[in-house]
Each structure stands twice: as structure tokens, then as C-alpha cells.
């Protein structure tokens, strides 16, 4: 197996682990907890691009769906995907793809900022309606508990993802040099 393929798999798995770790840093404030997952989802798209970023987030969702306790507060299972946060989990996968698509091959800060903003909107666009349907809340209540409490914190996490990506990208684009023959 080529070294570059192994490198890609390691980066996908590393980002998946960071997403799962971010989910455990949860503050329960209602049906949707405050977590650091968003930070790592956006970072996956920024650093790994659309395919690999989506693979990392998709792997996280898959691992949780099959029973590994990677979701917030060490929860797991298909029932969790069908619960109040299921739309946000699907939104994470879509967000990683969109962020990666908008920034892949570009190294402009403006592209990163627009991408994480749109990625965050996608999470809300899928999460809030799902929350409304699953819980039977009114639109006002769903927005009040599934969006408004998170806007400021998610903006901070998006900004942190942009800063981290700008710092980490140079290390990721360095190629491993083959060993000199003796």
C-alpha cells in the first residue's frame, strides 16, 4: 500500500478520534448539548478536503450508529440518530463536505471563513427541523433551544477552526521524503 494512502487513512482516523473526543466535552443545556464536535467537523473539512473530511465525519457517525459510545455523553446507537440530535449528526457530515468543497485547493482566509459559516448553517438547517419533528416543538421553540443558544459558541468554534487550519495546513502538505539509500 502506498505511503500516501496510509497517511490519508491515518489523518481520517485521527480526525474521527478528535470529533469523538470533542463530543465528550459536552454541556447539557436541553435536548441538544453544547459540544466541541462542530470545531473538529469544520476542521476536518478545512484540512482534509471534501472526500476525506466527509469520510472522517461519516466514520464518526457510523461508529456511533453501530454502538460505540462516541456521541455526546458517551451515547451511541441507531436510536440516538433518530433522536433530537440526529439532524445535527447528519448535518455534520454535510458540513464537512461543503467546507472541504469550498476550501480544497485554496489557501485564502476569506474562503475558509465563508466555508465554515456555510458549514455551520448547514448543520442548523438539518438539525433544527429534525429537532422540531422529533420533539413536536413549534418552530419558535425549536429555534429557541436548537439554534439560538449555540450561535455565539459556534461562531467562536468556527473562528478557531479557521485559525487552526491556517496553522496546521503547512505541516499537512509537507511530503515525506524517501530515505536516502546507503
Amino acid at each position: 500500500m502506498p505511503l500516501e494512502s496510509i497517511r490519508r487513512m491515518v489523518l481520517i482516523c485521527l480526525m474521527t478520534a478528535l470529533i469523538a473526543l470533542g463530543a465528550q466535552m459536552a454541556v447539557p443545556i436541553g435536548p441538544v448539548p453544547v459540544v466541541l464536535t462542530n470545531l473538529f467537523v469544520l476542521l476536518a473539512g478545512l484540512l482534509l478536503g471534501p472526500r476525506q473530511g466527509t469520510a472522517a465525519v461519516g466514520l464518526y457517525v457510523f461508529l456511533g450508529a453501530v454502538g460505540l459510545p462516541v456521541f455526546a455523553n458517551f451515547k451511541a446507537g441507531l436510536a440516538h440518530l433518530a433522536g433530537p440530535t440526529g439532524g445535527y449528526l447528519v448535518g455534520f457530515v454535510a458540513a464537512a463536505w461543503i467546507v472541504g468543497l469550498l476550501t480544497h485547493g485554496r489557501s485564502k482566509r476569506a474562503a475558509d471563513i465563508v466555508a465554515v459559516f456555510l458549514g455551520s448553517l448547514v448543520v442548523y438547517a438539518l438539525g433544527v427541523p429534525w429537532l422540531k419533528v422529533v420533539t413536536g416543538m413549534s418552530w419558535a421553540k425549536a429555534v429557541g433551544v436548537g439554534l439560538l443558544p449555540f450561535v455565539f459558541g459556534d461562531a467562536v468554534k468556527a473562528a478557531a477552526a479557521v485559525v487552526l487550519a491556517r496553522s496546521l495546513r503547512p505541516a499537512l502538505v509537507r511530503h515525506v521524503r524517501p530515505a536516502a539509500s546507503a
Side-chain angles (χ1 to χ4, degrees):
M1 181 177 289
L3 186 59
E4 188 57 31
S5 295
I6 294 170
R7 180 178 175 272
R8 281 193 300 268
M9 286 189 287
V10 167
L11 289 173
I12 289 167
C13 291
L14 176 62
M15 195 56 69
T16 301
L18 288 172
I19 294 166
L21 180 64
Q24 303 322 312
M25 297 175 195
V27 178
I29 62 168
V32 181
V34 174
V35 292
L36 285 180
T37 310
N38 312 51
L39 166 66
F40 297 113
V41 165
L42 298 172
L43 197 57
L46 289 169
L47 292 177
L48 303 181
R51 287 181 36 212
Q52 294 170 30
T54 302
V57 181
L59 179 58
Y60 162 74
V61 173
F62 173 77
L63 291 173
V66 297
L68 271 79
V70 296
F71 297 145
N73 298 313
F74 297 100
K75 293 186 180 172
L78 286 173
H80 193 68
L81 285 175
T85 60
Y88 296 95
L89 292 168
V90 172
F92 288 157
V93 177
W97 181 77
I98 287 171
V99 170
L101 190 68
L102 294 174
T103 60
H104 190 63
R106 298 172 183 86
S107 63
K108 296 189 188 284
R109 183 170 301 185
D112 290 352
I113 292 168
V114 168
V116 297
F117 175 75
L118 292 175
S120 296
L121 282 180
V122 165
V123 172
Y124 292 133
L126 294 173
V128 173
W130 184 262
L131 176 66
K132 178 197 178 310
V133 168
V134 169
T135 62
M137 293 178 183
S138 67
W139 277 109
K141 178 79 171 173
V143 168
V145 300
L147 188 148
L148 295 179
F150 303 99
V151 172
F152 177 75
D154 286 351
V156 171
K157 290 181 265 185
V162 169
V163 170
L164 286 169
R166 304 279 306 159
S167 299
L168 294 172
R169 274 188 187 129
L172 292 179
V173 296
R174 291 186 191 135
H175 295 290
V176 178
R177 287 184 284 186
S181 39

